[in-house]
Structure formats: C-alpha cells, structure tokens
Amino acid sequence: MKVVVHWNRCPENLWIPSPWTCSSPDWMGLWAAWICSGKLGIYDADGDGDFDVEDAKVLLGKYKIERNNQYNLYVMFTFVLKLISTIAVKYERSNKLYLFNFFPVKKKKKPKLLNKFDKTIKAELDAAEKLRKKGKVEEALRAFETLVNQYPESPRARYGKAQSEDDLAEKMRSNEMLQKAINTYDEVVSLPNVPSDLIKLSLKREADRQQFLGRMRSSLITLQKLVHLFPSDTSFKNDLGVGYLLIGDNSNAKQVYEEVLRLAPDDGFAKVHYGFILKAENKIAESIPYLKEGLESGDPGTDDGRFYFHLGDALQRIGDKEAYKWYELGYQRGHFASVWQRSLYNVKGLKAQPWWTARETGYTELVKSLEKNWKLIRDEGLEVMDKKRSLFLPEDENLREKGDWSQFTLWQQGRKNENACKGVPKTCALLERFPEATGCRRGQIKYSVMLPGTHVWPHTGPTNCRLRMHLGLVIPKEGCRIRCAQENRTWEEGKVLIFDDSFEHEVWQDAESYRLIFIVDVWHPELTAQQRRTLPAI
C-alpha cells in the first residue's frame, strides 16, 4: 500500500514524513503497523524478541508512547530513522509529493534447487549441507561424495559436492582442488532434470572460479552458455560483457551492453560499463550521460571507483567543473583517498602529500647520484633521441589534449629492458645500485621528451605505492610547468623534483624548444620489505 505524504527536513539532514500533512485517514495506524512489524529486532530493548511500542518506551525513556498520541508517535518514528541507515522504501518524485511504501519489501524468493527425485532424499541432502555450513568441509565433502555415488543423477548432491570442493580449495589454498570444483559445477548442468535455478547458480560460480584462476576465455565460454540458456536474463548478459572486457575485447563487450540497453534502457550496470567503453574509444562527451545515469541509478555493481574516476576525467576534459562533485562523492564513498588523490590500487595508511623532498623520501643517495651524473644521463639520452631510430615511442595512454610527447623506457614493472639499456649503458649501470627504483614493480624508469604546444590533461597515476622523480636534462627557460594537486612547479637542469603521482597532476609545454627529463619511479618509503616483495605489478 502506498501513501502520499509531504516531507520535512530535520536538523540531522534526514528526510522524514510529517504526520500533519498526511493524506491517508489511517496514517497513524499504518505508521504504528510499520514500526511494530517485527523488522527491528536488533533494537529489542525489553528482551521479548521483537521491536515494539514497549521497546520504544524504554529507548525514549521520558516519552509516553500511546496509540492515539500523534506527536509522540512522530517522535518515536524520528528516533527509529536515526537508528537505521537504510530503510527499504520505494518512492517517486512529483514536485513536493512522494509515494512512500511503508510495508517491508518482500523477500526474494529462495532459489528452487531440488527436482522431484531430490525432494525424496531431502533429509540426506540437508544433513550433508548442514556439515558444510558448520565449516566441517572435509566431512561435508565425504557426505556429498557418498550421495553422488549412491544417486549419480542427483543434481543437488553434485552441486553440494562442488560447493564442498570449492570451500576446501579455499581452506587449502589449492588451485588443483579449485579446478575439481569447477569440473563438478560443470557436471551439474549436464545431468537430467536440473532445476533452472541450480543451473544458474552452478554456471555463475563456475565462471567466477575460472576468472579467479585467470582462465578468462574458459570463463567467457561458461558465460556464453548462461546467456544462451537464459536469453531474457539481462544480468547474465551484463556478466558476459564484463567477461569480454577482462580479455580486452571491448568491441564484443560494447555489443553486449547495447543489447542489454535495448532490452532494459534503465539498467545502471550496463550504462556505466557502456560509458566506460565509450570513454576508452575517446568518445568523451558521449560517455558522460551513460556514466552519470549509471552511477545515479544506484544499481548493484555501479558504485565502483573506476566509474567515478572516468566520469570525473571525462567532465574535466570538456571543461566541466562538475567533475569535482563526482570526485568528492567518490571520496565520500571510500573509493578515493581524497578528492585530489584518486589512485585505485592502494596500500592504506601510507603518508600522502603531493610534493616530497629527498630527505622525506629517505632516498637521498639516489637523488645525489642522479643530480651528480645528470650530464651523463642527458648526453646518453640525446644520442638515442634520433627519430630515425624510433627508440622514443609516443605516449599511448590518451593523456594528451594536444602536442607531441614521447618516451624511451629502460625499466617497466621492475623488469629491465636489456635492448633499451644497450643504447644508454652508463645510465643503466648507474641505476643498478638502487633497487628502490629498479625493483619498483609499480613504476618505470624512462626518458621523456615533450615538444612545444603540448598539454597533458589533469590525471592521476594508478597507485599510491610509488613516488615519481623528475630529473631535469634539457629545460627551456620559460613555458614549461607541472601542477600537482594545487601547486605549480618548474624543472631545473640537473635538479630532481619529487611528487606523488597518485595526486592529480597536469603538464604544460608552451616553450619554444623541446623539454627532456629523466623519470625514475621508486617505492613509497613507508612500504615494508614484505610489501615490496609481494605487491603485484601494475
């Protein structure tokens, strides 16, 4: 039942219904029914196993709650709203009127996992499942294996075996056991008379576990099977689109999401992913409404830092300051360390500031060595800048608004490029002494040349686990500058600038000649030795 009500704003920034503006003749009865519906048991103050008027009396203390006292019921309802962070409501906006559903949302139907035969052995299946839910994984696996041997065509027994193998794989940290679980999930689907809900659960879990093992193409085949079996279920198409994205097949992913949006135009999950793909195609303005509407939908899977990141970036590129509204929202929802520091692959607790000194990093010997040998590094770089040799490659991350920016990489993800180092052998030999740089799997070591008329969009690096050093090699007197967060700086020949590129930064090259610098990424100094050994590359 829906009731039309006005809304009043209270000091705590909660929107609450006013009892004085209610259009329903039995408003207070509905109100009391909702409050006393037994859904607030965690606030059971009198210990009777439910939340009711008596509990409100205890919690509110000085207020006397009576059925016909509208003001006190209003106070009680306001108090309940303060206790609950999310209320299951559905509303539609119509000027200042809202439709408010006061009855608890119906629970989703439990999936039907038993066919006719499995219902006859339900007690045995339940006993085995009880062991699994109690965490007795080995016992559960033995119980389900016994049932599979006894009833080889029982899909529920086979599914229970797969789940037990899955649980055991996690307990043992065994990829071999996980592969057994994947195989068993697949066997479930091949049995006769399998309930459709069980097919869905088995194939979804199979695809998920295949992705966990890095078998993206196998997962894709499983997802394609799901879509083929249940063509009207857009959630499986959405999963298939993600499967294509995971193997870098944006073209097929785009087709999938276009189909989803034809079937379900308001699907927020499809919108954010479709917007993401459009932005990757550099269709910046076109991507914005999809990303924005997808995030605003609040649909499961949309509240992801990547979508806030790319929506803000797209808005910045068209000069829309609303970008920072989305960055702020991403920060508030825990996706970003701050509005300015928006990296997504982070270690919590690391010191965060845009600009650093050599002393603050602790890498003073590296900085001294770079500054002492800057001419050697410069001269070797100039020798390999000849365009005919094609050693410097254009920047390929779509970070330039305009201009010419190329790089010559010596180390990438902690791996030395032996062929590149043959061109600058003294520079590479110099760096070998500094594992904080050469071993930084989340960074690079490279020359960077930027020609006049170049502008690099505001952007952030992917991780807070590194700091970036810029050694000036050939710096025009005027026209070159870099902004990190809210502070601009310039380069000097023979001097090192150090900044945290997980903070937003932007570069302008408006000089009359080229700018050449040497970039050295180093591990964030607060990372432990264990973290430096085990953090995956980016």
Side-chain angles (χ1 to χ4, degrees):
M1 177 174 181
K2 290 185 176 180
V3 181
V4 180
V5 298
H6 291 280
W7 287 77
N8 291 337
R9 190 72 177 266
C10 72
E12 293 78 14
N13 291 323
L14 294 171
W15 287 96
I16 58 176
S18 166
W20 320 119
T21 59
C22 175
S23 63
S24 168
D26 192 26
W27 165 255
M28 299 313 300
L30 290 171
W31 211 343
W34 182 79
I35 290 171
C36 302
S37 62
K39 301 301 177 183
L40 304 176
I42 60 170
Y43 301 111
D44 176 18
D46 60 5
D48 66 354
D50 204 352
F51 182 93
D52 51 26
V53 173
E54 295 305 314
D55 296 311
K57 289 180 182 179
V58 175
L59 292 169
L60 292 173
K62 62 180 180 179
Y63 293 105
K64 183 180 180 183
I65 307 300
E66 296 177 358
R67 172 67 173 80
N68 294 320
N69 186 329
Q70 291 192 350
Y71 176 74
N72 284 331
L73 275 171
Y74 174 74
V75 171
M76 181 171 75
F77 188 80
T78 305
F79 178 79
V80 171
L81 282 179
K82 291 179 184 178
L83 292 175
I84 306 170
S85 60
T86 304
I87 297 177
V89 297
K90 293 180 180 179
Y91 61 89
E92 298 173 6
R93 189 177 297 254
S94 176
N95 296 325
K96 293 184 179 179
L97 294 179
Y98 290 77
L99 294 178
F100 196 100
N101 183 359
F102 267 86
F103 290 100
V105 176
K106 289 182 179 179
K107 291 182 179 179
K108 289 184 179 179
K109 290 183 179 179
K110 288 186 178 180
K112 295 179 180 179
L113 306 184
L114 304 179
N115 62 15
K116 287 184 179 180
F117 174 76
D118 280 340
K119 288 178 181 178
T120 67
I121 60 168
K122 185 175 183 301
E124 296 171 79
L125 291 167
D126 287 348
E129 181 64 13
K130 188 175 182 180
L131 291 170
R132 192 182 73 83
K133 287 185 174 178
K134 285 186 174 181
K136 299 178 179 179
V137 184
E138 292 87 349
E139 292 180 49
L141 180 55
R142 286 195 294 270
F144 277 116
E145 284 176 336
T146 299
L147 289 172
V148 168
N149 291 332
Q150 192 172 354
Y151 312 112
E153 292 194 349
S154 164
R156 181 62 185 89
R158 190 87 52 162
Y159 181 68
K161 180 190 174 191
Q163 285 184 303
S164 300
E165 289 169 337
D166 201 339
D167 293 344
L168 188 57
E170 185 173 345
K171 182 178 178 180
M172 298 170 58
R173 298 182 179 274
S174 168
N175 289 345
E176 183 179 351
M177 179 57 70
L178 187 54
Q179 184 58 52
K180 287 183 179 180
I182 290 170
N183 295 339
T184 308
Y185 282 124
D186 199 58
E187 290 170 5
V188 173
V189 182
S190 64
L191 295 173
N193 303 315
V194 185
S196 61
D197 286 346
L198 194 58
I199 292 175
K200 293 176 183 179
L201 289 172
S202 296
L203 289 178
K204 274 184 68 72
R205 187 61 178 175
E206 180 183 347
D208 177 81
R209 299 293 79 193
Q210 287 168 326
Q211 288 179 7
F212 179 82
L213 289 179
R215 295 167 187 170
M216 301 305 176
R217 294 194 178 276
S218 295
S219 173
L220 197 61
I221 292 169
T222 305
L223 292 168
Q224 288 168 338
K225 188 187 297 185
L226 259 174
V227 169
H228 176 73
L229 291 171
F230 306 99
S232 63
D233 193 326
T234 54
S235 70
F236 297 143
K237 288 183 171 67
N238 279 334
D239 291 340
L240 178 61
V242 172
Y244 280 121
L245 289 173
L246 288 172
I247 64 169
D249 188 349
N250 285 22
S251 177
N252 271 318
K254 185 178 182 181
Q255 290 179 29
V256 169
Y257 290 122
E258 286 173 341
E259 183 179 354
V260 172
L261 291 171
R262 280 195 297 271
L263 295 170
D266 295 325
D267 190 307
F269 187 92
K271 282 185 174 181
V272 287
H273 285 83
Y274 190 64
F276 173 82
I277 293 167
L278 289 174
K279 184 170 179 292
E281 295 175 343
N282 210 28
K283 296 175 180 177
I284 304 300
E286 196 177 335
S287 73
I288 290 171
Y290 288 100
L291 288 165
K292 187 182 293 186
E293 290 170 18
L295 283 170
E296 288 173 341
S297 75
D299 287 352
T302 61
D303 188 24
D304 186 305
R306 291 169 296 180
F307 303 130
Y308 291 94
F309 183 99
H310 286 289
L311 174 56
D313 185 64
L315 289 165
Q316 279 185 302
R317 294 191 183 198
I318 65 168
D320 191 333
K321 292 183 179 179
E322 192 186 39
Y324 289 95
K325 163 195 160 184
W326 290 97
Y327 291 148
E328 175 67 29
L329 190 55
Y331 162 63
Q332 289 176 3
R333 293 186 175 173
H335 301 303
F336 305 140
S338 73
V339 171
W340 295 104
Q341 190 181 24
R342 303 189 299 272
S343 51
L344 297 175
Y345 299 90
N346 299 325
V347 169
K348 289 185 178 180
L350 299 181
K351 181 178 179 179
Q353 61 187 43
W355 295 99
W356 291 65
T357 65
R359 185 182 297 276
E360 286 174 325
T361 68
Y363 300 132
T364 52
E365 289 304 312
L366 171 58
V367 173
K368 286 178 182 178
S369 182
L370 291 172
E371 292 184 342
K372 179 181 178 181
N373 295 282
W374 77 274
K375 289 184 178 178
L376 178 154
I377 297 169
R378 178 198 63 189
D379 292 346
E380 284 198 327
L382 291 173
E383 287 180 15
V384 296
M385 269 183 61
D386 182 358
K387 283 193 173 182
K388 292 180 182 178
R389 298 173 66 184
S390 299
L391 297 177
F392 276 72
L393 301 176
E395 177 274 324
D396 61 358
E397 295 181 62
N398 191 27
L399 298 178
R400 283 171 293 162
E401 178 190 10
K402 59 181 180 177
D404 191 324
W405 175 25
S406 298
Q407 300 170 106
F408 177 50
T409 303
L410 308 180
W411 269 267
Q412 176 87 15
Q413 296 182 333
R415 294 193 298 269
K416 182 180 180 181
N417 184 330
E418 297 289 350
N419 286 333
C421 279
K422 288 177 182 177
V424 288
K426 294 178 182 177
T427 298
C428 288
L430 179 75
L431 287 161
E432 295 280 11
R433 297 168 39 214
F434 302 100
E436 62 267 31
T438 58
C440 181
R441 286 191 310 284
R442 294 195 164 188
Q444 304 146 2
I445 301 175
K446 58 190 177 183
Y447 288 90
S448 171
V449 62
M450 191 174 287
L451 299 188
T454 300
H455 173 234
V456 178
W457 294 110
H459 64 288
T460 59
T463 180
N464 72 341
C465 295
R466 73 186 186 204
L467 300 179
R468 176 155 283 187
M469 298 184 177
H470 279 189
L471 173 65
L473 300 178
V474 179
I475 309 299
K477 290 183 179 180
E478 295 181 353
C480 294
R481 72 187 190 279
I482 179 172
R483 173 183 65 82
C484 187
Q486 295 170 287
E487 183 180 348
N488 288 350
R489 295 197 182 181
T490 57
W491 297 272
E492 294 181 49
E493 291 182 356
K495 298 296 180 182
V496 169
L497 278 179
I498 308 173
F499 66 102
D500 183 338
D501 79 324
S502 65
F503 284 81
E504 179 181 293
H505 54 288
E506 183 176 12
V507 177
W508 296 265
Q509 215 290 42
D510 297 320
E512 295 182 354
S513 60
Y514 70 88
R515 182 223 66 178
L516 179 66
I517 62 172
F518 190 58
I519 298 174
V520 180
D521 290 336
V522 292
W523 285 120
H524 191 290
E526 292 182 352
L527 289 173
T528 65
Q530 171 72 6
Q531 288 171 323
R532 297 181 192 206
R533 285 194 301 270
T534 58
L535 281 170
I538 294 178

